[in-house]
Amino acid sequence: MNKIFSSLLLIVSVVLIQLPIAVDASAAESDKPERKTQLVGPTVGKKVAKAFEAYSADDIPGALAILLDIDASKKYDKAYVSRFIAIMYAQMGNEEAKAIQYLKAAVEPDILNEGDQDQSLKLLADLQMQTKSYEEALVNYKAWMDFTGKSDGDTWTKIANAHYALKQLDKMIVPANNAIAAYGDKQNKNPYILKVTSYYESKKFKDAVKTLETVIQIFPEDKTWWTQLGMFYLLIEDYKKGLATLDLAYKQGFLDKESEIKTLASLYSQNQVPYKAAVLLEKYIDSGLVKRDDKNLSSLANAWHASQHIDKAAKYYGELAKMTNSAKHYSKQGMLLKQDEQFKAAIVALNKALDLGAKNKGRLQMSIAESHFYLEEYKQAYKAINLAMKDPKTKRSAKGWVDFIKDTARRKKVSI
């Protein structure tokens, strides 16, 4: 499951919002009284204008040099310039710490114009997420929502993600649900991923199943959800639903991993449909998706045997025997070949099992005797049945065959 579950437990990436092209922004809508619009002083304004020209020409280092040289004295001018500097550092890359430093200075006085304060709080929280300052990010996401009065799906998702990073699994569910509600008709997979992640790591598997049952209705075309739901059914030991889900996923072409095919085959066998298990394994062993190793060939041979396709079972036990040089596999192959009335091949396989030290010698000798008998090779049959008589486990059964073989040979006028 840990492998099956490595794709399900990916955490949503925090994507840095696009930085504004313009420094000023229109005021955000809010229920609170409209914030007073302020302007920088003339001296600072001229330098900011030059910095903005450099910024617009993609000369970020040049813009930053101008801004850092500004010695603002008024509170608003300081906050405004600090915000602009933070934006420059954020766009430069690898300068998140400095961007955060200046953003804190910009938002702390709470005097920026509405749109600037809005964007700065959001950017600050996003940068803190990037630098793994998750607790600080949570504080500033809340500050942003309190300031704007907005309920934003992406922000709630980031909040849930921050709680995950802090291993606060129980605190992930509410923001994830808030994100789902905020997205509305524009469904997004990320909050669902976070919910399932929380439930899985908290071992609340039934809650994870309920979430996945909902998700699969919203995103029916996504194969990942189908396989994950099937695997979670197995975790809560609802094998019938697990089989039904994975079977439907397979019919839609959603199973493309070795582990998924093997799990479905195992469920077929457990639910008394070994023929489907055999057909499935044979197809994907032949294609190469499922390894042609001793374990998988054993499962395939067992599935054909359980579905009463004796010839195919014998074939794969034979392949398995050659691969492993194992007495038990030659023994099974020989027994099945005898059952399928392939007596000559059965004798070869059974003798090979004996040569390799098979423990059930009496039983194997009896099967060799029977095979020779049906081939009308009475002398060899008589020899084999006498060897079976030496085994206490088969002595009684073999005794009945001794006279039968002798009488039949006599009637056929064959010397034994």
Side-chain angles (χ1 to χ4, degrees), residues 197-215:
T197 298
S198 171
Y199 289 138
Y200 174 73
E201 296 197 11
S202 302
K203 301 189 184 305
K204 297 177 180 178
F205 301 136
K206 290 185 178 179
D207 289 324
V209 165
K210 289 178 182 178
T211 301
L212 286 167
E213 287 174 339
T214 299
V215 174

Side-chain angles (χ1 to χ4, degrees), residues 251-302:
K251 288 174 180 175
Q252 295 178 87
F254 291 162
L255 304 189
D256 54 12
K257 296 179 181 176
E258 180 183 29
S259 59
E260 295 167 350
I261 296 297
K262 288 167 67 174
T263 298
L264 179 56
S266 177
L267 287 170
Y268 281 142
S269 293
Q270 291 173 26
N271 286 272
Q272 311 303 316
V273 277
Y275 177 76
K276 285 189 174 183
V279 170
L280 186 70
L281 282 173
E282 186 176 68
K283 176 180 178 180
Y284 288 99
I285 287 175
D286 287 346
S287 75
L289 178 63
V290 175
K291 290 180 183 177
R292 201 176 200 93
D293 59 19
D294 57 338
K295 187 176 180 180
N296 294 330
L297 283 173
S298 179
S299 297
L300 177 55
N302 286 333

Side-chain angles (χ1 to χ4, degrees), residues 128-166:
Q128 286 168 332
M129 284 291 286
Q130 278 194 341
T131 57
K132 301 183 180 181
S133 301
Y134 302 114
E135 291 180 346
E136 292 183 0
L138 286 170
V139 169
N140 284 304
Y141 281 132
K142 183 179 185 302
W144 176 80
M145 287 191 288
D146 289 345
F147 179 78
T148 63
K150 295 176 182 177
S151 181
D152 174 71
D154 288 344
T155 301
W156 281 118
T157 299
K158 292 171 187 177
I159 290 170
N161 197 18
H163 284 303
Y164 177 77
L166 293 168

Side-chain angles (χ1 to χ4, degrees), residues 289-336:
L289 178 63
V290 175
K291 290 180 183 177
R292 201 176 200 93
D293 59 19
D294 57 338
K295 187 176 180 180
N296 294 330
L297 283 173
S298 179
S299 297
L300 177 55
N302 286 333
W304 281 124
H305 192 185
S307 59
Q308 295 300 307
H309 283 69
I310 304 304
D311 57 338
K312 286 208 166 195
K315 170 189 171 183
Y316 287 109
Y317 275 124
E319 183 178 344
L320 186 58
K322 288 180 181 178
M323 179 183 289
T324 61
N325 202 36
S326 169
K328 70 176 182 178
H329 296 317
Y330 276 112
S331 177
K332 285 185 178 180
Q333 181 197 20
M335 293 296 190
L336 289 172

Side-chain angles (χ1 to χ4, degrees), residues 305 310 313-314 317 327-343 345-351 353-354 358 360-368 370-371 394:
H305 192 185
I310 304 304
Y317 275 124
K328 70 176 182 178
H329 296 317
Y330 276 112
S331 177
K332 285 185 178 180
Q333 181 197 20
M335 293 296 190
L336 289 172
L337 287 169
K338 188 200 76 171
Q339 184 180 339
D340 199 45
E341 299 184 1
Q342 299 181 51
F343 298 118
I347 292 167
V348 173
L350 294 168
N351 277 320
L354 288 169
N360 54 336
K361 293 182 180 180
R363 186 182 173 206
L364 295 180
Q365 290 291 0
M366 278 197 66
S367 293
I368 290 171
E370 290 175 40
S371 297
T394 54

